């Protein structure tokens, strides 16, 4: 078994949880093969826009017909000019949450059903130290739904909550009485499947129950701007993890996400992102933004700083 952090988990946090064939190049290819082989991802509608390879800006795909009737796709970038689009680069996949949970948690007493559309799921139950606990899964936590989510978990204090990313789990863990675990921290990949490392989960439960420092009570919702800045910091940190791995392997940076792309990934408007970047309290956000476009700075980043 091998446990490795993979960028594939960050795509499960999106709404919809989709990624393109080009995005898939960032993943550990053996990981993606496992997802496809067990039908935990499925094809979805082709992308209608594509990232310019030179500047990183997303552009809409337009089509033209040649004299023989053939149809060709293009993007027209204001900075870099037109570029032809290969049809396969528009292929998209989407996570199929129910079979993915069924595969990951097969060693539990499963009763998988959505509680809140495709965001909050009841997985089933599992016994720890002689006590049965409810297992829940949450994805795509954001400023729009966090108040409702915190209220729901306040009524299910003994439930064990899983989220795709360790960073998302840590953020929610500070707001609710539950123990929240990032799947990327406890998943194991083998040649033919994925599984949850339940010994690690049990260790986390023991640490949580034996802690002499009580968890703080859920705090009132912070200002909207502050919460949005935190989401952007989280998104840029995820990008820096991927681009640092890529830079050490190839000597080149991945294109820095544009403000428009950050807006789409976090469920904000582009003006929201722009205002957050200019906010007097957003020093960390601006530093991450500048670092993501500086190869030398990325190569100097300590690996622990990005985990």
């Amino acid at each position: 078994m091998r446990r490795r952090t993979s960028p594939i988990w960050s795509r499960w946090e999106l709404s919809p949880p989709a990624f393109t064939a080009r995005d898939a190049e960032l993943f550990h290819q053996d990981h993606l093969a496992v997802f496809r082989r067990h039908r935990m991802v499925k094809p979805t509608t082709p992308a209608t826009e594509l990232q310019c390879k030179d500047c990183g800006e997303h552009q809409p795909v337009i089509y033209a017909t040649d004299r023989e009737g053939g149809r060709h796709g293009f993007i027209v970038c204001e900075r870099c000019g037109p570029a032809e689009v290969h049809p396969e680069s528009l292929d998209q996949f989407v996570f199929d949450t129910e079979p993915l949970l069924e595969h990951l948690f097969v060693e539990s007493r499963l009763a998988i059903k959505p509680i809140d559309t495709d965001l909050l799921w009841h997985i089933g139950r599992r016994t720890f130290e002689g006590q049965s606990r409810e297992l829940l899964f949450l994805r795509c936590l954001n400023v729009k739904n966090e108040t409702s989510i915190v209220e729901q978990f306040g009524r299910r204090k003994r439930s064990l909550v899983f989220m795709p990313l360790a960073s998302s789990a840590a953020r929610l863990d500070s707001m609710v009485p539950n123990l929240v675990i990032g799947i990327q921290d406890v998943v194991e990949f083998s040649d033919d499947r994925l599984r949850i490392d339940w010994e690690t989960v049990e260790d986390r439960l023991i640490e949580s129950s034996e802690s002499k420092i009580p968890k703080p009570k859920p705090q009132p919702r912070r200002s909207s701007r502050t919460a949005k800045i935190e989401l952007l910091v989280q998104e840029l940190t995820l990008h820096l993890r991927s681009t640092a791995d890529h830079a050490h392997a190839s000597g080149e940076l991945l294109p820095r996400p544009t403000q428009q792309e950050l807006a789409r990934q976090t469920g904000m408007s582009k003006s929201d992102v722009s205002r957050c970047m200019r906010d007097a309290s957003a020093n960390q956000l601006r530093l991450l933004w500048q670092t993501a476009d500086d190869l030398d700075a990325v190569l100097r980043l300590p690996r622990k700083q990005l985990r």
Side-chain angles (χ1 to χ4, degrees):
M1 294 287 185
R2 294 161 290 160
R3 184 182 301 138
R4 296 180 294 180
T5 299
S6 170
I8 200 168
W9 298 111
S10 65
R11 302 310 194 270
W12 202 8
E13 291 276 20
L14 300 180
S15 184
F19 55 91
T20 66
R22 183 180 292 181
D23 291 332
E25 295 174 2
L26 299 174
F27 306 158
H28 297 301
Q29 290 303 309
D30 54 338
H31 292 192
L32 182 61
V34 172
F35 280 90
R36 297 193 66 180
R37 183 162 58 250
H38 292 281
R39 299 180 180 178
M40 295 179 287
V41 296
K42 58 186 179 182
T44 187
T45 54
T48 58
E49 61 178 38
L50 200 64
Q51 191 177 38
C52 174
K53 290 184 177 180
D54 294 322
C55 70
E57 288 280 352
H58 275 75
Q59 303 294 340
V61 179
I62 57 177
Y63 292 91
T65 303
D66 60 27
R67 294 179 179 178
E68 287 75 31
R71 195 163 178 254
H72 303 273
F74 296 87
I75 59 171
V76 180
C77 179
E78 293 182 1
R79 295 183 185 179
C80 311
E84 187 170 3
V85 173
H86 297 291
E88 60 271 16
S89 66
L90 299 176
D91 290 344
Q92 284 197 124
F93 304 91
V94 65
F95 281 102
D96 198 347
T97 295
E98 184 169 355
L100 181 46
L101 292 176
E102 184 176 310
H103 183 93
L104 286 170
F105 293 90
V106 66
E107 298 173 5
S108 304
R109 298 189 298 279
L110 296 178
I112 297 174
K113 61 181 179 181
I115 299 173
D116 184 356
T117 60
D118 188 32
L119 304 182
L120 178 60
W121 289 74
H122 179 269
I123 300 171
R125 303 190 71 87
R126 186 176 176 88
T127 301
F128 300 93
E129 298 291 327
Q131 296 185 0
S132 177
R133 286 183 180 265
E134 179 184 46
L135 306 180
L136 300 176
F137 171 76
L138 174 69
R139 50 172 290 271
C140 200
L141 179 70
N142 57 48
V143 294
K144 295 179 181 179
N145 62 29
E146 69 176 27
T147 300
S148 171
I149 293 298
V150 168
E151 289 176 352
Q152 290 195 58
F153 288 158
R155 298 189 294 268
R156 310 170 92 135
K157 297 180 180 180
R158 288 187 51 77
S159 299
L160 183 57
V161 182
F162 291 87
M163 298 184 72
L165 296 177
S167 56
S168 300
R171 176 169 171 258
L172 180 63
D173 190 75
S174 68
M175 296 188 288
V176 298
N178 313 71
L179 174 62
V180 188
I181 295 177
I183 287 176
Q184 69 174 170
D185 278 348
V186 296
V187 72
E188 293 180 332
F189 286 82
S190 70
D191 293 334
D192 60 350
R193 61 162 293 135
L194 299 83
R195 66 177 294 273
I196 297 293
D197 178 1
W198 289 108
E199 289 186 7
T200 299
V201 173
E202 289 178 3
D203 289 343
R204 293 282 301 275
L205 273 170
I206 293 171
E207 291 171 7
S208 177
S209 62
E210 290 182 348
S211 174
K212 295 181 180 180
I213 303 176
K215 288 186 66 175
K217 295 180 180 179
Q219 298 296 313
R221 181 177 173 179
R222 301 180 66 185
S223 70
S224 177
R225 177 72 58 81
T226 302
K228 289 176 180 178
I229 290 172
E230 290 177 352
L231 277 179
L232 291 169
V233 167
Q234 177 182 321
E235 194 64 37
L236 281 174
T237 300
L238 291 174
H239 170 76
L240 282 171
R241 289 177 187 171
S242 298
T243 201
D245 290 341
H246 184 79
H248 282 285
S250 68
E252 297 180 352
L253 287 176
L254 296 172
R256 182 178 68 180
T258 64
Q259 291 191 15
Q260 181 180 357
E261 184 175 5
L262 286 173
R264 182 171 55 252
Q265 292 171 345
T266 56
M268 303 181 199
S269 67
K270 188 176 179 181
S271 59
D272 283 337
V273 175
S274 179
R275 284 192 291 268
C276 288
M277 290 288 186
R278 298 194 304 267
D279 193 281
S281 67
N283 293 329
Q284 183 186 10
L285 176 61
R286 286 189 290 272
L287 178 61
L288 293 174
W289 175 255
Q290 294 165 5
T291 301
D293 205 34
D294 185 333
L295 177 60
D296 291 336
V298 169
L299 291 174
R300 289 196 302 269
L301 285 173
R303 294 298 180 92
K304 292 183 178 180
Q305 185 176 331
L306 297 176
R307 302 304 171 193

